[in-house]
Amino acid sequence: MRIRTLVQSGIHLLGVVISSLSLCAYASPKDNSLVVAFSTPLTTVDRLYSIQREGLILSRLTDDGLFYVNPDTLEFEPLAAESYQWINDTQLDIKVRNDVRFHDGSPLTADDVVYTFEWVLDEASETSRGPVIRSWLESVEKTDTDTVRFNLHLPYPMALRDMAISIPIRKAGTYDGTRGRENAAEDIPLNGIGPYKLKEFRAGREIVLERFDNYYQASPKANPAIDTIVFRVIPDQGTQQAELLSGGIDLMMDVPPDVADNISHLPGVRRKEGNDIRIGYITLDAAGYSNPDSPFTNVKVRQAINHAINREEITRYLVRGSAEVVHFACHPRQFGCDSDGPRYPYDPQKAKALLAEAGYPDGFSFNLWAYREKIIAEAVVSNLRAIGLDVDLRFVKLNVFSKVRNDRNMETFFASYGSGGTADASASAGVHFASNTARNFTKDEELAETLLAAEQTINPDERKRLYRNALNRIAEQAYWVPMFSYSQNYLLAPGLEFPVPNDGVPRFWQASWSEQ
């Protein structure tokens, strides 16, 4: 194995730069391994029991679903499925490939597909995405040797998306004898069908994957170049930087722009930028959940907030990279993200006039909650104070933020959402303005019904029309302050070839080492 010098977390970056430079003779790794830093530990390697982004990244290596996300078009295409056919709006037939093998060598069959989805449909299994799947899937049955029929409760155009992202296929009998979430994914060896198999999982520390040589050749993931992929959990970014410089890791993800600016100029480091479907936004409590007399129940106040924030400068100078201003409650690359509703250019004088019209010529006091990108939240506070508002930034940990938000005890909050890498407006507007979500601060039932209709309509033109109506309504009522899309920064060791993704979810089977 290649020797990797480990740097203790207490050593600061400046203290290791000089010594690191002497270690930067990065030859092409003789062991053909790739070491990637994870900032957050995984509690399980079973995607059926994880909602973490790191779990999604890992599962695309160890697992396959029936479909996958094409990295260029962001469309959903057959993967473990050979083909599919909609029999009608609520019946979908899927033919299973006959050349796919599990990591234990056994072949994938239609029985395995039926078992997997019946397990998810069983409430006692307590899978992380079970409630979502049960909301649209009634039953699944084997209709031929290699064919499975999915019977839907209702038309659901995102069925292929859920099969691609949320449901990895499991061998029949995998969870037999388990009792729900508490032990379904514990002490069960991960037996996937992906291009890499799990070699070692040390919770909170390290995950080691090995290339699976019997992976099926028809897959777009076939023949990955890297033999071994190691994910090391390193929560501190300073330590990640030191490890990259010393050769302890080969790649950093989610690097803040200022860090990327500083580190990428050092010898032995390369920087790459990519797009991300994640968007930043500010939610305003239009329904008055936190306070029935809240000024945010007044549409003119909400419009004033939209005009008060200089999104162009925040995007250009703080987010940077390929980030762009977002005007509506979705990412421009998502299907259905097309609106001719009002936009709110930066205009502090108009914001002040709207506040006066709403009855607040001297402003008012409130808290802006946030849990990430403090510098951006502070810029927003500065913009709002400039129009006479007394704003206190409540910057807290994610678990605190989530609890207060779920209790709907926030008048305003700044957050972001990545849509699970899904290029469809249902994963953004649909998630935040549905009637049954704690993210919805509007009480706008008509809006929720429009979004629900879009999610239950197969016809793409009708779906676009419904989403346009919903996005127009959100903009007209200024329920949100859409802010910007995100840009991903990656720092790489020299010689590492890694195509940056269009949706912010890295696909490490595409990585390779160049000859040096």
Side-chain angles (χ1 to χ4, degrees), residues 269-333:
V269 179
R270 293 170 55 227
R271 177 184 187 174
K272 298 192 80 171
E273 292 182 354
N275 295 317
D276 197 333
I277 285 184
R278 179 174 296 276
I279 60 173
Y281 63 92
I282 296 171
T283 291
L284 308 175
D285 184 12
Y289 286 115
S290 58
N291 174 11
D293 298 321
S294 169
F296 294 103
T297 59
N298 189 313
V299 65
K300 290 187 177 181
V301 169
R302 301 194 299 269
Q303 290 170 342
I305 299 295
N306 270 267
H307 280 299
I309 298 173
N310 194 337
R311 291 174 288 182
E312 287 75 12
E313 287 201 355
I314 289 174
T315 303
R316 183 181 304 115
Y317 297 113
L318 299 182
V319 190
R320 295 188 287 175
S322 60
E324 57 185 333
V325 173
V326 172
H327 296 285
F328 303 105
C330 52
H331 190 285
R333 291 200 66 185

Side-chain angles (χ1 to χ4, degrees), residues 182-468:
E182 64 208 37
N183 70 343
E186 295 177 5
D187 302 321
I188 298 175
L190 183 65
N191 186 23
I193 58 174
Y196 285 86
K197 60 183 179 180
L198 181 69
K199 180 181 180 182
E200 185 177 2
F201 174 45
R202 293 192 293 164
R205 298 183 63 187
E206 186 176 79
I207 303 168
V208 182
L209 308 181
E210 286 185 332
R211 186 171 56 195
F212 179 48
D213 292 333
N214 289 325
Y215 188 64
Y216 53 112
Q217 291 297 300
S219 169
K221 302 182 187 179
N223 304 312
I226 301 292
D227 291 332
T228 304
I229 301 178
V230 180
F231 295 98
R232 287 184 54 202
V233 179
I234 308 176
D236 179 67
Q237 275 218 336
T239 306
Q240 287 189 24
Q241 296 163 33
E243 293 278 16
L244 181 66
L245 288 168
S246 67
I249 62 173
D250 302 309
L251 187 144
M252 286 178 62
M253 303 184 291
D254 305 321
V255 184
D258 56 337
V259 173
D261 288 345
N262 294 330
I263 303 301
S264 61
H265 294 302
L266 294 175
V269 179
R270 293 170 55 227
R271 177 184 187 174
K272 298 192 80 171
E273 292 182 354
N275 295 317
D276 197 333
I277 285 184
R278 179 174 296 276
I279 60 173
Y281 63 92
I282 296 171
T283 291
L284 308 175
D285 184 12
Y289 286 115
S290 58
N291 174 11
D293 298 321
S294 169
F296 294 103
T297 59
N298 189 313
V299 65
K300 290 187 177 181
V301 169
R302 301 194 299 269
Q303 290 170 342
I305 299 295
N306 270 267
H307 280 299
I309 298 173
N310 194 337
R311 291 174 288 182
E312 287 75 12
E313 287 201 355
I314 289 174
T315 303
R316 183 181 304 115
Y317 297 113
L318 299 182
V319 190
R320 295 188 287 175
S322 60
E324 57 185 333
V325 173
V326 172
H327 296 285
F328 303 105
C330 52
H331 190 285
R333 291 200 66 185
Q334 291 179 313
F335 174 91
C337 191
D338 180 22
S339 173
D340 50 11
R343 300 187 179 200
Y344 298 90
Y346 176 58
D347 190 339
Q349 294 306 313
K350 187 168 186 177
K352 290 179 180 180
L354 284 165
L355 286 177
E357 290 176 27
Y360 300 96
D362 299 320
F364 54 89
S365 301
F366 65 97
N367 295 325
L368 174 71
W369 292 76
Y371 69 94
R372 59 179 295 159
E373 285 105 25
K374 188 176 183 181
I375 189 172
I376 293 175
E378 289 173 337
V380 170
V381 168
S382 177
N383 284 165
L384 295 176
R385 287 175 176 169
I387 64 167
L389 296 174
D390 180 15
V391 189
D392 182 26
L393 176 61
R394 299 293 303 275
F395 194 82
V396 296
K397 298 288 188 181
L398 176 58
N399 61 332
V400 175
F401 178 93
S402 297
K403 183 183 186 308
V404 180
R405 182 199 61 196
N406 292 345
D407 291 340
R408 290 195 173 112
N409 198 22
M410 296 175 170
E411 283 188 287
T412 64
F413 62 85
F414 165 62
S416 75
Y417 195 70
S419 298
T422 302
D424 192 281
S426 64
S428 52
V431 166
H432 290 87
F433 296 96
S435 60
N436 61 347
T437 175
R439 298 174 184 270
N440 187 345
F441 280 65
T442 70
K443 288 186 181 178
D444 191 330
E445 290 301 323
E446 182 179 346
L447 170 61
E449 289 173 5
T450 301
L451 288 165
L452 181 62
E455 291 184 15
Q456 297 178 358
T457 301
I458 297 295
N459 184 286
D461 291 334
E462 178 63 7
R463 291 190 74 223
K464 287 181 180 178
R465 185 189 70 81
L466 289 166
Y467 280 125
R468 183 181 297 111

